Amino acid sequence: ATDGKHCLTYENIKQGEIMNYLYRIIAVIVISGSSAYAADFGKYTNPEASQFDGWDRTSRYIKAEDGTRLAIDLFIPTLNGEQPAEKIPVVLHYTRYIRATEREDGPIVSAPIRDPVAQHLLRHGYAVAIADARGTGASFGVHNGAFSIEETADSYTIIEWLASRPWSNGNIGMSGRSYPGMTQYQAATQNPPSLKAIFAEMAGPSGYDFIYRGGAFKKDFIDMWGSSTKSLDLAIHQMPARVDADIDGSLRDQAVAEHKNNLWAQSLIQPGSHLRNFGITREGGGRWSWDQVTTIDSGNIDIISDSGIGIYHLAGWYDIYTTQQAWFYAELERHVSQKMMIGPWMHSGGYGGKVHLAEILRWYDYWLKGIENGVLDEPPVHYYTMRGNHTTPENAATVAPTLDEATAEDGSAWEATSVWPPKATKVRFWLDQGSSGTVTSINDGVLSYVAPVEVGSNKYKVDYTSTVGKFSRWMNGYGGRRNDIENSTYLDERTKENQKGLTYTSDPLDEEMQLVGYPTMHMRVESSHDDGDFFVYLEEIDSAGKSHYITEGVLRGSHRKTSQAPFENFGLPFHRSYEEDLAPMQAGQPVDLAFDLMGTAITLDAGHRIRVTITGADANNFALYPDPTGKDAPIIEVFTGSHSGSYVDLPTL
């Protein structure tokens, strides 16, 4: 339609419903402590159900506090072409990824046409607003880096403007994933009076702990995400849609022209950016720093605590923010009404699935419509315990489903808990000498329940071609998918990569083992160079000897100093990474490294083995280090033995 109105056509409904069926679960009775909870989680039981069949769309500019014009689309649900007689709540999606696009020879493509969540909200009586952040889309101004001070301040203006609309009931929510998930956390730090609830998906409260996790630099992510966002801001491949009053598109073109002065992601990677207290001031104004984009600091926690905003965190076990998002939940636990679910998903996983759509409605119904649906009477955390592997089959012709299609048929299940992480027992596996006879790696060492008495070591010249695989959770974080198997987000089977590193493999498990929480790695190492990145992969080895990815962690040697975390981080090793904390490694001098692996919840089968693989590079995701050319490779030595050895602690239930 070209008259500003779009209907929920059969094709659009079909598109949304296909997304609904990507994720299938069986609701179960879940146990927390000694009490059983009937799992309303994942079910939407509002008797009003879906009652709207279309929407009216309008688009306009609103002015930020400093006068910058921001483009916003408004969608009002309709039934038989009529808008609701009563005032309704509004859900805002605040993005830097273009609110709507258009071509000269075609109609405007707006969010509800391509987004099953927006369709879902409209069908259930919510108005939806999509706003371009300043310096992006059709909005004017300059974007001073991700989550700039100006961008965050604008969220307050937009939210209160939406609350003042004559058709709004004054209750505003926010939704979105990844960057639009983090804009929700940022908006909460502004404490807008009308913001009642957010539903932040796959969102990280600390940019530093993602880009420079353990000091190692995710170069591929910055390269790919940085180039794609620059392309969006400059309208190189997609043209942002005009607002209604901009008949000839001249205002939109003026806005895009201003974007050429944006601070691009690649520009933030400069000398000193590997330090947590890094910041820059731009010529002509505008400041950006890691501190500024961190919402988990004490000042912001105090503001959010006073706001009364209801917060729902959606995370994934194979997401890029798995651990960080849980930190935020834990830090806010004593202060706000909140919930968290962690599914078996990558960054893109579960979107528009049954659990996702049910929970987002239950949350908004309570906070924005005042419906007493018991959503806060349940245990606050639901997490999915995985079983089996998420590895692509060797035969690429075999259909490998996406992680979105997790079911409970293989013994996996949703669990509920009032405490996060659940109280687990640490099981320690020691790295030891010997041969497991299961892999042709550099050393083929063993993992032992018993602390080795004798001190030993394994030397290894770093193979700069080693990688987690040709597809990773980090790639999915910027929208990457497998290019060999359509619609699959499964990971590569790791046996070949094991050959490029040091491996330590356990005996077959006598009984199944359930891991829930955050493994920690402790290594005593030595290097021929003054620094290096140390990658650790935790893997499950099946009965056929194939190695399947569970999780991973990394630490740069010079960032090894630990200190007290300024926020709740479950007692995991925290690396402050200020300049005064850094210390080079000296050739011939062993150092101790302690770092966490990304969180997981998985049941390992009896008869399977556990493997720890250690490498010095992840060529597809991280910058090669210490030599970015990949030529001058360090020789590292990993020590074993109970007094000066290395081990991994696994959280088991």
Side-chain angles (χ1 to χ4, degrees), residues 140-152:
F140 284 78
V142 173
H143 197 252
N144 281 316
F147 317 111
S148 68
I149 294 171
E150 299 84 2
E151 175 185 285
T152 297

Side-chain angles (χ1 to χ4, degrees), residues 329-340:
Y329 169 85
E331 184 65 18
L332 289 168
E333 187 172 14
R334 297 178 298 278
H335 306 290
V336 300
S337 297
Q338 61 174 350
K339 294 195 71 173
M340 180 172 67

Side-chain angles (χ1 to χ4, degrees), residues 82-369:
E82 298 293 327
Q83 295 183 7
E86 71 280 3
K87 294 184 177 184
I88 57 175
V90 189
V91 177
L92 169 64
H93 183 90
Y94 186 36
T95 184
R96 58 112 52 253
Y97 295 143
I98 303 184
R99 78 193 197 291
T101 60
E102 65 172 307
R103 298 194 309 264
E104 290 184 6
D105 58 346
I108 288 173
V109 179
S110 56
I113 294 177
R114 59 191 179 188
D115 186 350
V117 174
Q119 292 182 25
H120 189 60
L121 292 170
L122 287 162
R123 282 197 294 264
H124 288 83
Y126 290 89
V128 173
I130 320 288
D132 284 331
R134 68 167 60 211
T136 76
S139 287
F140 284 78
V142 173
H143 197 252
N144 281 316
F147 317 111
S148 68
I149 294 171
E150 299 84 2
E151 175 185 285
T152 297
D154 291 343
S155 64
Y156 185 105
T157 300
I158 297 169
I159 288 165
E160 294 309 309
W161 183 86
L162 290 170
S164 70
R165 297 306 89 197
W167 39 263
S168 169
N169 71 358
N171 295 330
I172 310 300
M174 294 183 74
S175 70
R177 176 167 297 200
S178 194
Y179 197 105
M182 286 178 275
T183 60
Q184 298 177 59
Y185 289 151
Q186 295 286 342
T189 69
Q190 304 300 292
N191 196 5
S194 302
L195 182 60
K196 307 301 182 186
I198 65 176
F199 199 96
E201 304 175 21
M202 312 289 191
S206 170
Y208 179 85
D209 285 296
F210 170 58
I211 299 300
Y212 282 106
R213 183 78 162 137
F217 172 45
K218 292 191 181 76
K219 183 179 186 299
D220 177 67
F221 185 92
I222 287 294
D223 287 347
M224 298 300 292
W225 185 81
S227 61
S228 65
T229 51
K230 184 175 183 178
S231 175
L232 287 174
D233 294 351
L234 298 179
I236 292 174
H237 300 297
Q238 293 187 85
M239 184 61 68
R242 297 160 286 176
V243 301
D244 295 343
D246 184 19
I247 303 301
D248 62 359
S250 59
L251 292 177
R252 183 266 320 281
D253 295 343
Q254 291 175 38
V256 171
E258 292 188 2
H259 302 169
K260 69 179 183 298
N261 294 316
N262 284 1
L263 179 59
W264 312 117
Q266 295 94 328
S267 300
L268 295 173
I269 307 305
Q270 54 184 268
S273 60
H274 66 296
L275 301 174
R276 191 183 292 268
N277 53 349
F278 168 80
I280 58 174
T281 300
R282 305 192 70 192
E283 290 185 15
R287 176 168 173 78
W288 189 94
S289 68
W290 290 120
D291 286 341
Q292 169 199 310
V293 301
T294 298
T295 51
I296 199 171
D297 64 276
S298 58
N300 283 325
I301 292 296
D302 290 342
I303 294 171
I304 296 172
S305 300
D306 293 339
S307 71
I309 296 169
I311 302 177
Y312 204 129
H313 313 265
L314 181 150
W317 287 127
Y318 294 106
D319 183 41
I320 59 180
Y321 302 117
T322 301
T323 300
Q324 298 169 44
Q325 196 164 12
W327 286 345
F328 203 29
Y329 169 85
E331 184 65 18
L332 289 168
E333 187 172 14
R334 297 178 298 278
H335 306 290
V336 300
S337 297
Q338 61 174 350
K339 294 195 71 173
M340 180 172 67
M341 66 169 158
I342 313 176
W345 308 307
M346 279 194 165
H347 201 62
S348 62
Y351 196 80
K354 290 182 179 180
V355 172
H356 180 209
L357 295 183
E359 288 301 291
I360 202 168
L361 274 184
R362 296 174 72 222
W363 196 241
Y364 292 148
D365 279 1
Y366 176 81
W367 288 99
L368 306 184
K369 291 186 176 181

Side-chain angles (χ1 to χ4, degrees), residues 555 557-563 574-577 580-582:
L555 180 64
S558 58
H559 288 244
R560 64 187 179 274
K561 181 180 178 180
T562 59
S563 57
F574 176 75
H575 308 95
R576 190 177 67 156
S577 297
E580 57 266 33
D581 299 324
L582 305 190

Side-chain angles (χ1 to χ4, degrees), residues 210 217-222 224 316-322 345-349 390-392 402-403 466-484 488-494 497 535 537 549-553 598 617-623:
F210 170 58
F217 172 45
K218 292 191 181 76
K219 183 179 186 299
D220 177 67
F221 185 92
I222 287 294
M224 298 300 292
W317 287 127
Y318 294 106
D319 183 41
I320 59 180
Y321 302 117
T322 301
W345 308 307
M346 279 194 165
H347 201 62
S348 62
H390 296 96
T391 301
T392 294
T402 173
L403 287 173
S466 63
T467 178
V468 66
K470 58 189 173 185
F471 177 71
S472 69
R473 66 167 79 206
W474 316 119
M475 295 174 187
N476 190 240
Y478 56 72
R481 309 283 290 188
R482 295 196 69 94
N483 56 20
D484 53 349
S488 172
T489 54
Y490 277 132
L491 300 166
D492 292 318
E493 195 262 317
R494 282 193 44 80
E497 286 299 326
F535 294 85
Y537 302 100
Y549 174 99
I550 298 175
T551 188
E552 65 184 280
M598 302 286 282
D618 179 358
N620 287 347
N621 297 282
F622 289 77

